[in-house]
mmCIF file of all heavy atoms in Angstrom:
data_model
loop_
_atom_site.group_PDB
_atom_site.id
_atom_site.type_symbol
_atom_site.label_atom_id
_atom_site.label_comp_id
_atom_site.label_asym_id
_atom_site.label_seq_id
_atom_site.Cartn_x
_atom_site.Cartn_y
_atom_site.Cartn_z
ATOM 1 N N GLY H 379 -24.017 0.944 6.485
ATOM 2 C CA GLY H 379 -24.768 0.697 5.257
ATOM 3 C C GLY H 379 -23.871 0.458 4.071
ATOM 4 O O GLY H 379 -24.140 0.935 2.961
ATOM 5 N N ALA H 380 -22.784 -0.296 4.283
ATOM 6 C CA ALA H 380 -21.796 -0.542 3.226
ATOM 7 C C ALA H 380 -21.795 -2.009 2.827
ATOM 8 O O ALA H 380 -21.141 -2.842 3.471
ATOM 9 C CB ALA H 380 -20.415 -0.123 3.712
ATOM 10 N N PRO H 381 -22.489 -2.360 1.755
ATOM 11 C CA PRO H 381 -22.468 -3.755 1.288
ATOM 12 C C PRO H 381 -21.230 -4.027 0.433
ATOM 13 O O PRO H 381 -20.757 -3.152 -0.289
ATOM 14 C CB PRO H 381 -23.743 -3.855 0.454
ATOM 15 C CG PRO H 381 -23.928 -2.475 -0.098
ATOM 16 C CD PRO H 381 -23.421 -1.526 0.953
ATOM 17 N N MET H 382 -20.719 -5.226 0.515
ATOM 18 C CA MET H 382 -19.658 -5.689 -0.376
ATOM 19 C C MET H 382 -20.258 -6.824 -1.194
ATOM 20 O O MET H 382 -20.439 -7.944 -0.700
ATOM 21 C CB MET H 382 -18.439 -6.162 0.409
ATOM 22 C CG MET H 382 -17.244 -6.522 -0.477
ATOM 23 S SD MET H 382 -15.856 -7.183 0.506
ATOM 24 C CE MET H 382 -15.451 -5.762 1.536
ATOM 25 N N VAL H 383 -20.574 -6.533 -2.442
ATOM 26 C CA VAL H 383 -21.247 -7.507 -3.299
ATOM 27 C C VAL H 383 -20.210 -8.393 -3.971
ATOM 28 O O VAL H 383 -19.284 -7.909 -4.631
ATOM 29 C CB VAL H 383 -22.124 -6.797 -4.353
ATOM 30 C CG1 VAL H 383 -22.794 -7.836 -5.256
ATOM 31 C CG2 VAL H 383 -23.173 -5.920 -3.668
ATOM 32 N N LEU H 384 -20.379 -9.698 -3.805
ATOM 33 C CA LEU H 384 -19.451 -10.673 -4.358
ATOM 34 C C LEU H 384 -20.081 -11.374 -5.550
ATOM 35 O O LEU H 384 -21.183 -11.922 -5.453
ATOM 36 C CB LEU H 384 -19.060 -11.708 -3.306
ATOM 37 C CG LEU H 384 -18.534 -11.184 -1.959
ATOM 38 C CD1 LEU H 384 -18.122 -12.356 -1.078
ATOM 39 C CD2 LEU H 384 -17.382 -10.225 -2.160
ATOM 40 N N ARG H 385 -19.371 -11.353 -6.666
ATOM 41 C CA ARG H 385 -19.769 -12.150 -7.818
ATOM 42 C C ARG H 385 -19.370 -13.601 -7.555
ATOM 43 O O ARG H 385 -18.584 -13.876 -6.637
ATOM 44 C CB ARG H 385 -19.088 -11.634 -9.079
ATOM 45 C CG ARG H 385 -19.304 -10.160 -9.374
ATOM 46 C CD ARG H 385 -18.370 -9.728 -10.498
ATOM 47 N NE ARG H 385 -16.987 -10.045 -10.141
ATOM 48 C CZ ARG H 385 -16.003 -10.179 -11.032
ATOM 49 N NH1 ARG H 385 -16.250 -10.074 -12.318
ATOM 50 N NH2 ARG H 385 -14.774 -10.444 -10.625
ATOM 51 N N PRO H 386 -19.863 -14.554 -8.350
ATOM 52 C CA PRO H 386 -19.458 -15.947 -8.139
ATOM 53 C C PRO H 386 -17.934 -16.139 -8.121
ATOM 54 O O PRO H 386 -17.417 -16.929 -7.324
ATOM 55 C CB PRO H 386 -20.104 -16.685 -9.321
ATOM 56 C CG PRO H 386 -21.330 -15.872 -9.623
ATOM 57 C CD PRO H 386 -20.923 -14.445 -9.385
ATOM 58 N N GLU H 387 -17.209 -15.404 -8.984
ATOM 59 C CA GLU H 387 -15.749 -15.541 -9.028
ATOM 60 C C GLU H 387 -15.078 -15.033 -7.758
ATOM 61 O O GLU H 387 -13.886 -15.280 -7.539
ATOM 62 C CB GLU H 387 -15.182 -14.786 -10.229
ATOM 63 C CG GLU H 387 -15.605 -15.341 -11.583
ATOM 64 C CD GLU H 387 -16.915 -14.716 -12.076
ATOM 65 O OE1 GLU H 387 -17.651 -14.145 -11.238
ATOM 66 O OE2 GLU H 387 -17.188 -14.792 -13.289
ATOM 67 N N ASP H 388 -15.849 -14.300 -6.931
ATOM 68 C CA ASP H 388 -15.282 -13.759 -5.697
ATOM 69 C C ASP H 388 -15.444 -14.687 -4.503
ATOM 70 O O ASP H 388 -14.912 -14.415 -3.426
ATOM 71 C CB ASP H 388 -15.929 -12.403 -5.373
ATOM 72 C CG ASP H 388 -15.700 -11.378 -6.462
ATOM 73 O OD1 ASP H 388 -14.652 -11.456 -7.136
ATOM 74 O OD2 ASP H 388 -16.562 -10.496 -6.642
ATOM 75 N N TYR H 389 -16.205 -15.773 -4.687
ATOM 76 C CA TYR H 389 -16.302 -16.741 -3.587
ATOM 77 C C TYR H 389 -16.121 -18.180 -4.062
ATOM 78 O O TYR H 389 -16.174 -19.121 -3.255
ATOM 79 C CB TYR H 389 -17.633 -16.591 -2.837
ATOM 80 C CG TYR H 389 -18.901 -16.850 -3.645
ATOM 81 C CD1 TYR H 389 -19.386 -18.146 -3.839
ATOM 82 C CD2 TYR H 389 -19.630 -15.795 -4.177
ATOM 83 C CE1 TYR H 389 -20.553 -18.376 -4.549
ATOM 84 C CE2 TYR H 389 -20.797 -16.012 -4.891
ATOM 85 C CZ TYR H 389 -21.262 -17.302 -5.079
ATOM 86 O OH TYR H 389 -22.420 -17.527 -5.797
ATOM 87 N N LEU H 390 -15.882 -18.360 -5.373
ATOM 88 C CA LEU H 390 -15.603 -19.682 -5.933
ATOM 89 C C LEU H 390 -14.183 -19.739 -6.487
ATOM 90 O O LEU H 390 -13.604 -18.720 -6.876
ATOM 91 C CB LEU H 390 -16.581 -19.998 -7.072
ATOM 92 C CG LEU H 390 -18.067 -20.122 -6.718
ATOM 93 C CD1 LEU H 390 -18.877 -20.284 -8.004
ATOM 94 C CD2 LEU H 390 -18.309 -21.298 -5.767
#
Side-chain angles (χ1 to χ4, degrees):
M382 186 184 297
V383 179
L384 308 183
R385 305 170 305 159
E387 295 89 341
D388 300 330
Y389 62 83
L390 296 174

